[in-house]
Amino acid sequence: MTHIAVIDNHGQFTHLEQRALRDLGVDADLVDNDVDPEEVEADGFVLSGGPDMDRAGRSAAYLDRDEPVLGICLGMQLIAEELGGSVDSGEYGGYADVTVEITDDDDPLIGSLAPDTRVWASHADEVKDLPQGFNQTGTSDVCGIEAMSDTDRDLYGVQWHPEVIHTEQGEEVFENFRDICEQSS
């Protein structure tokens, strides 16, 4: 059975990320972000959303692991910032129902959602510049970089929340990430 650890960055929907994975038959643990990443055994990691970077604990250390990583909202921003991209305030700050255009049909995480998908997203902060090695895989009218992938390193990020019911194809995002984890292990 595939084992994915959800790293808890104190987001309000983190428990739903774990639940979504469990509903797919994944052995999913919820792990506090202050736990030493070397002590966490998993086939992949989800860096959850959360209120701010100051409360992200040791989440960045998971980027040094060989297993796939999916960053959700703050988790995506953390990946970008840690690897040389930039994050800044979004023009539209609150949660909103957004249509995301999938810009890479071949992307293993969200390519199957093409040509577009409706999502629930917060844009208080967002990735403004991609880190080296990443491609933009999703965009919208409110945010230029709604999703990003570095398939060589199996690092992925979505600005939106696939774990909430307002996101139409959220389960498919988790299915695709499970598949990525299974193929890399």
Side-chain angles (χ1 to χ4, degrees):
M1 178 183 286
T2 305
H3 180 209
I4 297 175
V6 177
I7 309 308
D8 184 3
N9 288 315
H10 312 289
Q12 60 184 331
F13 303 127
T14 302
H15 66 288
L16 296 177
E17 295 163 9
Q18 178 189 27
R19 172 71 187 265
L21 289 163
R22 284 186 173 171
D23 287 350
L24 295 173
V26 172
D27 179 18
D29 293 332
L30 193 57
V31 178
D32 189 87
N33 64 13
D34 285 328
V35 171
D36 182 350
E38 294 304 316
E39 295 177 9
V40 182
E41 292 298 321
D43 299 311
F45 302 99
V46 173
L47 302 182
S48 82
D52 59 61
M53 292 283 193
D54 293 338
R55 295 188 60 199
R58 300 171 82 172
S59 292
Y62 288 93
L63 303 178
D64 296 330
R65 302 277 303 252
D66 289 330
E67 296 84 7
V69 175
L70 167 61
I72 296 175
C73 199
L74 177 86
M76 172 176 156
Q77 297 160 19
L78 182 138
I79 292 170
E81 196 165 89
E82 286 294 320
L83 298 178
S86 69
V87 175
D88 207 346
S89 298
E91 292 179 28
Y92 183 86
Y95 281 97
D97 182 21
V98 177
T99 298
V100 173
E101 174 192 350
I102 307 306
T103 57
D104 182 354
D105 296 1
D106 296 324
D107 181 65
L109 184 70
I110 65 167
S112 65
L113 309 181
D116 59 40
T117 189
R118 304 254 333 194
V119 304
W120 187 248
S122 167
H123 294 92
D125 292 308
E126 59 192 39
V127 175
K128 298 294 188 177
D129 296 297
L130 292 170
Q132 187 172 352
F134 280 81
N135 293 311
Q136 174 217 52
T137 55
T139 189
S140 74
D141 291 341
V142 256
C143 177
I145 305 171
E146 287 280 3
M148 64 182 195
S149 292
D150 179 339
T151 56
D152 290 338
R153 293 185 284 181
D154 274 334
L155 300 175
Y156 305 88
V158 293
Q159 179 63 40
W160 69 83
H161 289 272
E163 71 276 14
V164 299
I165 197 158
H166 309 305
T167 295
E168 288 181 355
Q169 295 172 287
E171 182 176 307
E172 192 168 340
V173 173
F174 286 114
E175 287 173 352
N176 292 343
F177 185 65
R178 177 198 60 201
D179 294 348
I180 291 165
C181 293
E182 289 174 352
Q183 291 168 10
S184 77
S185 59

